[in-house]
Amino acid sequence: MARCPSTKGVTLMERYRPLSAGHHSIGMNYLLLALCAVSMGTVLSVFMRVHIIAPELKLPLFGVVPPEGYLALVTMHGTLMVFFVLTSAPVNGFASLILPAQIGARSMALPGLNALSFWLTALSLVVLLAAFLVPGGAPISGWTSYPPLSGIAAAGPGQATGMDLWLLSIGIFCVASVLNAICLLTTIITKRCAGMTLMRLPLTAWSWLVTAVLMLFAFSILLVAVVLLLSDRHFATGFFIPKGEVVNGMLYDRMHPHPGGSPMLWLHLFWFFGHPEVYIAILPAMGTTTSLLANFLRRPPISYRFMVGTTLAIGALGLMVWGHHMFVSGMNPYAGTAFGLITMAIAVPSSGKVLGWLAMLLRGRSTRIHPLPTPMLFTLGFLSFFIAGGLTGPILAQPILDAYLHNTYFVVAHFHLIMAMAGVFALFAAVYYWFPLMTGRLMNEGLGKWHFWLSLFGAYGTFFPMHFAGLAGMPRHFAQLTGSTSSLAALVPLQTGITHSALFLASAQLLFLINLAWSARRGSLASVNPWQATTLEWTAFGSSPCRVSHAPYEYRFDGNAWKPVMQCSIAQKQE
């Protein structure tokens, strides 16, 4: 029988040892790595935005950025954010940090493998950043790295050593992610304490469970694709590059003599990873959202089984819809119709979750905590972005509409609202919520609320107008709006406003960093369970075994107010 976690009055930060294989230290390592990655990715995005409206301006470290340099910024920004922030933090980081305590385990299963997963991830980040330093610089083929340009070193600056480093980095990241998924699944299946049945798992644990399954499939396929592309580049195989390919006026028959190669194979393999990656990033956010709503509204979900079912349905359907990223690739129109229908189908469980959250808000309007604490505000922010970004999903699921919008800023707006901003706001909610477990202190509420409101306005000001740029036909990867692309000059005022909002949004994050540093040392001391939560990570039972006897979100009315019921009580522990 596993035992409940022992806190013994020691915070996770006090137990933090960077080189330890303990799950607390590994989780903190992941979060610190993600913080570094998001800082670098944000700086790159600011450079991109400034370059679009002032292409002749000298940028720090980069000088005057040529068009191909802008593409390198796009590639590295996207790679940092998708892999090292939106995957590493919500799944690898918070799961390693919180999951064992939440299911009543003393540690993660396979701790050595979990530690190896983190250090491979760190190595992957170092290899990726090294691409800035090699001759030719970082690759310019975007975070999707479509062949044949990504398969031929002479295709452009950064496509030689820089592209090799990108592929090596992603390959290492895939291995690390598969190892982490194995640790997560093994922990949830084998390390639950007595009484913690699957139907008593907190919904965060359910979301990590489904996410781990998605990671096993998605990153295994991406690893295969990366190995095949490296083979095309260095061993003259022809998986993705057909015979007779001409790039920059040069015929590549001798290097790639096989007639059967096709870039379409890369598209299928990449997007079989790429679309589930959206859910790898967002499913943990959904689990966190449900848990925090229940906690701060003092109301359970409308139907726990329904929420579990929608999580499973989203995970299963998420593996079947990759083709909707390929409507304009020349695929069979019947296949496009099928992928379009499946994509519309995934809106059903997603909408079910949204309706469930709205119903919780409606039922909890009289029982919610006053005033709303910062984690709850960021949870509502997640809900707002998920709805705003999700509304444009069915539009892009129509092949005929996607044909026009596919390569425009409309997709940038959709993607950044539903995945980036929704995912990041859920991460902020998680940091503010679990910060007392890490440091024993509460983050400053005043700074937290300023951070929330400024980030909310900055995010909508940055990404919502991109819909209009997309509808006007502005392509995603154009480095500037003037000069050779004079037809887009009318969009300069719109893009200038977007850039100002982006600078405002990036500046607002300084409040978060200040709050993080100040509160870790001088924040108000937190009680054992400052949010009056019901899940096990907030218990301090010592090393005695316990038996879970309650559902994760139970509340009782004591005549004055709704009181939370801890899943594992002290009385039950003494039995």
Side-chain angles (χ1 to χ4, degrees), residues 104-190:
R106 295 183 62 81
S107 65
M108 288 280 286
L110 310 171
L113 209 62
N114 198 32
L116 177 62
S117 166
F118 167 74
W119 290 111
L120 286 175
T121 304
L123 174 64
S124 169
L125 178 60
V126 171
V127 172
L128 177 73
L129 296 177
F132 278 122
L133 307 176
V134 298
I140 63 173
S141 48
W143 77 280
T144 54
S145 291
Y146 284 173
L149 298 182
S150 61
I152 297 173
Q159 294 304 94
T161 310
M163 190 69 227
D164 282 335
L165 288 174
W166 188 92
L167 289 169
L168 183 61
S169 167
I170 298 306
I172 296 171
F173 190 91
C174 290
V175 174
S177 297
V178 169
L179 296 181
N180 190 265
I182 292 170
C183 292
L184 286 178
L185 286 173
T186 309
T187 301
I188 296 173
I189 292 170
T190 66

Side-chain angles (χ1 to χ4, degrees), residues 266-495:
W266 171 268
L267 265 65
H268 280 289
L269 294 175
F270 183 86
W271 285 115
F272 185 84
F273 148 79
H275 197 78
E277 167 62 22
V278 174
Y279 301 107
I280 289 169
I282 217 69
L283 275 176
M286 291 176 167
T288 305
T289 295
T290 310
S291 293
L292 267 62
L293 284 177
N295 187 80
F296 291 118
L297 296 172
R298 296 290 188 259
R299 288 284 189 178
I302 298 299
S303 168
Y304 174 88
R305 289 179 181 274
F306 175 76
M307 284 296 186
V308 172
T310 52
T311 301
L312 294 171
I314 290 171
L317 290 171
L319 290 169
M320 304 178 190
V321 298
W322 76 91
H324 76 225
H325 295 273
M326 302 163 55
F327 286 150
V328 297
S329 66
M331 70 192 304
N332 187 304
Y334 293 109
T337 302
F339 280 118
L341 289 173
I342 300 173
T343 303
M344 294 295 287
I346 205 169
V348 174
S350 300
S351 301
K353 276 200 179 295
V354 171
L355 292 175
W357 293 326
L358 294 178
M360 289 175 74
L361 286 170
L362 188 64
R363 288 181 61 196
R365 63 189 186 281
S366 61
T367 58
R368 67 179 174 86
I369 291 177
H370 295 275
L372 291 178
T374 304
M376 180 66 172
L377 290 178
F378 276 100
T379 300
L380 295 176
F382 162 83
L383 185 53
S384 158
F385 289 121
F386 190 74
I387 293 173
L391 288 175
T392 53
I395 296 174
L396 295 171
Q398 309 297 321
I400 194 168
L401 296 177
D402 184 73
Y404 174 74
L405 296 170
H406 178 80
N407 195 37
T408 71
Y409 264 70
F410 193 90
V411 174
V412 180
H414 165 73
F415 176 81
H416 278 83
L417 285 176
I418 199 166
M419 184 174 172
M421 287 301 100
V424 168
F425 267 57
L427 282 176
F428 282 135
V431 171
Y432 281 99
Y433 182 69
W434 281 310
F435 191 78
L437 279 183
M438 300 183 222
T439 64
R441 296 176 184 274
L442 292 162
M443 292 186 75
N444 184 279
E445 276 292 295
L447 283 174
K449 285 174 178 163
W450 272 104
H451 174 219
F452 167 75
W453 287 110
L454 295 180
S455 298
L456 187 77
F457 287 119
Y460 274 114
T462 302
F463 298 110
F464 198 79
M466 289 184 182
H467 291 104
F468 304 114
L471 291 172
M474 182 176 173
R476 288 191 252 174
H477 295 149
F478 274 29
Q480 58 191 65
L481 300 174
T482 55
S484 60
T485 58
S486 57
S487 62
L488 297 174
L491 294 175
V492 169
L494 179 63
Q495 289 290 351

